[in-house]
Amino acid sequence: MKSKSSLVLRTLCEGAIFVALAVVLSLLPVWKMPNGGSFDLAMLPIFIFCVRWGFGPAMLASTVYGVLQMFLEGGIAIGWQSIIGDFIVAYAVLGVAGLFHKNKYGFFIGTAVGCCARFLVHYVVGATVWAEYMPEEFFNMTMTTPWFYSALYNGSYMLVDMVLCLVIGALLWKPLGKYLRGEDLKV
């Protein structure tokens, strides 16, 4: 049986590794949106960590990742509200995936819930803080309300990111499922 201190140490080490991997993946986007957001696999290691270790460690790792993103994103923020909303809170809520760590399909449920939570934060920040930057036209549609624009803008990349994480998770499920579920920690 593993001692509590060795599990704490393992949690911290895995957290650091998964956050570092997420940062590296965030620096390799497939496509970047003009005002922030991109298609990448950066959330995948965060979700794996969240589902392996549970809610508390998940919230800590997700928040650390958000703070690092704030410094590494390249300054796509327009004030303290945007910094807190688009970085600290939006990435911290990925940790809700940790609530599903004891569920057999917790990775998939947690990924979907975490992505939806992050989308909701970006949606509200986009419709309130970023409202004055709404273009007249987006996706060949006339924009009349910042709420609709924010839903389209943030939904376009968050949906793709969620699908990418779920598809890669499904591909890894059979060969690495016990690690995705954290079953290796129960020794």
Side-chain angles (χ1 to χ4, degrees):
M1 180 162 176
K2 296 181 181 190
S3 70
K4 183 172 171 74
S5 63
S6 70
L7 278 177
V8 169
L9 180 61
R10 183 170 177 178
T11 306
L12 290 171
C13 290
E14 278 192 28
I17 290 167
F18 280 100
V19 168
L21 182 57
V23 168
V24 169
L25 289 172
S26 76
L27 298 173
L28 304 168
V30 175
W31 189 66
K32 286 186 85 80
M33 298 285 284
N35 294 321
S38 62
F39 300 164
D40 59 39
L41 292 172
M43 290 188 297
L44 182 64
I46 298 298
F47 287 133
I48 292 171
F49 178 80
C50 291
V51 174
R52 283 178 57 76
W53 289 100
F55 183 71
M59 291 302 291
L60 179 61
S62 299
T63 302
V64 167
Y65 176 62
V67 170
L68 290 172
Q69 280 298 100
M70 179 177 61
F71 290 114
L72 299 173
E73 182 68 26
I76 301 178
I78 57 170
W80 66 269
Q81 303 94 334
S82 176
I83 291 170
I84 290 171
D86 281 331
F87 292 101
I88 297 172
V89 176
Y91 287 100
V93 297
L94 296 177
V96 300
L99 293 171
F100 304 95
H101 82 285
K102 294 190 183 210
N103 187 304
K104 181 177 180 182
Y105 299 104
F107 173 80
F108 301 104
I109 299 167
T111 297
V113 170
C115 285
C116 289
R118 181 176 165 204
F119 164 76
L120 287 174
V121 173
H122 286 308
Y123 172 64
V124 170
V125 172
T128 55
V129 176
W130 288 89
E132 66 185 275
Y133 299 98
M134 178 181 79
E136 289 184 26
E137 191 174 281
F138 187 69
F139 285 153
N140 293 322
M141 292 185 276
T142 303
M143 295 293 109
T144 57
T145 171
W147 293 98
F148 183 64
Y149 169 66
S150 183
L152 284 177
Y153 186 92
N154 293 299
S156 65
Y157 70 87
M158 283 303 305
L159 182 62
V160 172
D161 276 357
M162 181 176 72
V163 169
L164 285 172
C165 287
L166 290 171
V167 167
I168 300 297
L171 293 172
L172 297 173
W173 190 252
K174 186 164 179 128
L176 300 173
K178 78 176 191 176
Y179 301 108
L180 293 176
R181 292 184 294 273
E183 292 172 358
D184 63 313
L185 303 173
K186 297 174 184 153
V187 178

